[in-house]
Amino acid sequence: MHPGVSTKELARKTLLPIPVAAAIKKELIKTGVLMQDRGVRCTREGTAWIEQQRGYQGLNKTLHQELMAIDKDWTSVLKDVLSDLEHIFLLRPQADVQIDQSKCTPETSLRRAVLCLKQHALIGKRILCVGDDDLVSVSIGLLLERLFPGGEHTGTIITVIDIDGRFLDFISGIAERNKLPIQCCQHDLRKPLPDHLNEQFDCFFTDPPYTLQGMSLFISRGINALKKTKGQPIFLSFAHKSPEYMMAMQREFVRMGLAVSASFPRFNAYEGAEMIANRSQMFILRTTDQTTPEYTEVFTDALYTGEVKQTQRTYRCKQCQQSVYVGMQGTIPTIEQLKNQGCSSCGNDTFDMVEKKTIPRACEER
């Protein structure tokens, strides 16, 4: 994209120390993919490899550079794409609040796609949407159309996993009409992923139920789907929470071996989501050599917000086996609070859910 770049600029762009960047550059020159010529640039062989193997052939480089610019207003550059999305979003299925669906705005959906591009996680990648009532898959597909106007791009594949067949049918119809590289799979994330989806993807998006266990479950399923490579990005949208809740979230990240590389407050906007003030934050998490999913088997705990409010669960400390009751009617209302304060006997912060009881509505009202 920028032939003739200096070693110092290479180091700055890749966030590497200058000696490390220089050493890598020398190795790539030895292999014949780079050459030193008024700065460093790709050889013909290097350019061919990037275009053919990494999916950059036919790219509109001017548009790409405009979108990658830090201070550029991308909405003016992608005005036509946003207009198409606004029409599509008017036709999408109604949100099912029982499974914590909410309607993000078309601009938010496209903003996520642009963020994926800026993080070098879009072109030539296999992208997974763990739940997609926000139509991020469609936004990525339409962005690809603009980036590759010749229509020959085949390097990016987008897969959507969702329990809601209405949204899958809607997305599939758009993909078929617009020839977008989107595949859909109906699946209940309480169950482990189908084998053919494991270790296949370069990144994933998720806007999970706004419960701690919902977040951890959706991230766990996404981790199973990622290729076993360090530094893979996870795009997590989640409601703004109290400092105590945020600490519980970060404990879950650490437990799963994930690093927070960036966070963007008020990144996502929603229609009619007054409970979260119509806004949520975006986290970019990165995998490490210690990354492992918290949930690997069938999930039996309360998952959605409504379930958490209507159940009393019995958890058992993994270390000392003491039982603790968790529910809105008890002294410990949520699992995140239990994990924060730890087991009263041994201080351990990991628990297994061993029993779940539904609280009758009449009891709740009293």
Side-chain angles (χ1 to χ4, degrees):
M1 298 296 176
H2 304 281
V5 64
S6 68
T7 302
K8 183 182 291 187
E9 183 66 9
L10 272 178
R12 191 179 71 83
K13 290 287 190 182
T14 56
L15 304 178
L16 292 172
I18 291 177
V20 176
I24 294 173
K25 180 188 74 173
K26 287 179 182 178
E27 292 302 313
L28 292 173
I29 288 174
K30 287 180 184 178
T31 66
V33 297
L34 293 183
M35 62 181 177
Q36 190 74 40
D37 177 19
R38 292 164 294 165
V40 68
R41 61 189 67 226
C42 289
T43 63
R44 183 178 299 175
E45 291 78 9
T47 298
W49 185 83
I50 290 170
E51 290 183 344
Q52 296 167 17
Q53 302 299 319
R54 306 300 294 178
Y56 280 77
Q57 189 164 13
L59 175 67
N60 181 337
K61 293 183 180 179
T62 300
L63 175 61
H64 181 271
Q65 292 182 19
E66 286 183 311
L67 293 175
M68 296 296 285
I70 295 175
D71 57 352
K72 184 72 176 182
D73 176 17
W74 61 265
T75 57
S76 60
V77 179
L78 297 176
K79 190 180 299 183
D80 55 337
V81 180
L82 193 53
S83 177
D84 290 342
L85 278 173
E86 288 170 348
H87 175 70
I88 290 171
F89 272 52
L90 289 173
L91 303 174
R92 64 182 160 172
Q94 288 296 313
D96 185 348
V97 296
Q98 290 188 325
I99 55 175
D100 286 2
Q101 289 180 350
S102 57
K103 289 186 173 183
C104 86
T105 64
E107 184 175 328
T108 290
S109 183
L110 188 54
R111 182 180 293 117
R112 295 179 189 175
V114 172
L115 179 65
C116 188
L117 177 71
K118 287 177 176 286
Q119 293 294 313
H120 306 282
L122 192 152
I123 298 175
K125 305 295 186 180
R126 294 202 64 178
I127 302 168
L128 177 66
C129 294
V130 183
D132 196 24
D133 55 297
D134 295 330
L135 308 185
V136 176
S137 58
V138 175
S139 292
I140 293 174
L142 294 179
L143 178 57
L144 279 171
E145 276 192 330
R146 285 282 274 108
L147 286 167
F148 295 89
E152 299 175 355
H153 179 70
T154 57
T156 303
I157 299 174
I158 311 150
T159 299
V160 177
I161 300 176
D162 206 298
I163 193 173
D164 193 334
R166 300 173 307 147
F167 275 94
L168 295 177
D169 290 343
F170 186 69
I171 292 169
S172 295
I174 296 169
E176 186 175 351
R177 287 192 298 275
N178 293 274
K179 297 182 172 56
L180 305 180
I182 300 174
Q183 304 169 348
C184 290
C185 174
Q186 187 167 18
H187 184 73
D188 185 347
L189 291 170
R190 295 177 191 269
K191 302 175 183 177
L193 295 183
D195 289 341
H196 72 277
L197 295 179
N198 287 325
E199 301 184 22
Q200 299 297 312
F201 296 90
D202 298 291
C203 70
F204 71 86
F205 282 84
T206 189
D207 192 343
Y210 291 161
T211 62
L212 191 68
Q213 50 268 53
M215 180 198 77
S216 298
L217 176 65
F218 277 47
I219 291 177
S220 291
R221 299 309 189 212
I223 288 173
N224 279 324
L226 288 179
K227 297 173 182 175
K228 301 303 179 184
T229 306
K230 291 186 292 184
Q232 304 284 60
I234 296 168
F235 299 94
L236 167 66
S237 296
F238 206 80
H240 294 97
K241 294 288 187 177
S242 67
E244 292 77 16
Y245 198 110
M246 291 292 292
M247 183 171 72
M249 289 174 60
Q250 292 185 45
R251 289 163 75 98
E252 293 296 293
F253 298 156
V254 172
R255 186 176 285 114
M256 289 186 278
L258 299 171
V260 179
S261 67
S263 63
F264 304 95
R266 299 176 296 278
F267 183 93
N268 303 294
Y270 302 86
E271 299 172 7
E274 285 81 9
M275 290 296 292
I276 58 171
N278 307 103
R279 291 290 187 274
S280 75
Q281 55 195 323
M282 169 66 76
F283 294 95
I284 301 177
L285 311 175
R286 295 276 176 180
T287 58
T288 68
D289 55 5
Q290 300 177 41
T291 295
T292 184
E294 181 166 353
Y295 299 106
T296 56
E297 305 299 328
V298 174
F299 182 83
T300 56
D301 201 348
L303 176 58
Y304 301 108
T305 306
E307 291 178 326
V308 171
K309 290 181 178 179
Q310 296 175 25
T311 59
Q312 177 177 288
R313 283 100 58 210
T314 304
Y315 289 89
R316 185 173 294 150
C317 174
K318 282 190 174 182
Q319 187 162 291
C320 72
Q321 303 300 305
Q322 174 172 292
S323 295
V324 186
Y325 298 105
V326 173
M328 292 301 176
Q329 307 301 313
T331 57
I332 304 177
T334 62
I335 182 61
E336 52 265 19
Q337 185 171 327
L338 175 61
K339 289 183 175 182
N340 271 342
Q341 64 188 52
C343 175
S344 60
S345 294
C346 67
N348 177 55
D349 64 354
T350 56
F351 302 84
D352 288 323
M353 201 275 293
V354 295
E355 188 179 11
K356 179 173 65 174
K357 294 180 179 178
T358 301
I359 301 172
R361 290 282 184 180
C363 178
E364 282 188 52
E365 291 167 1
R366 287 197 297 269

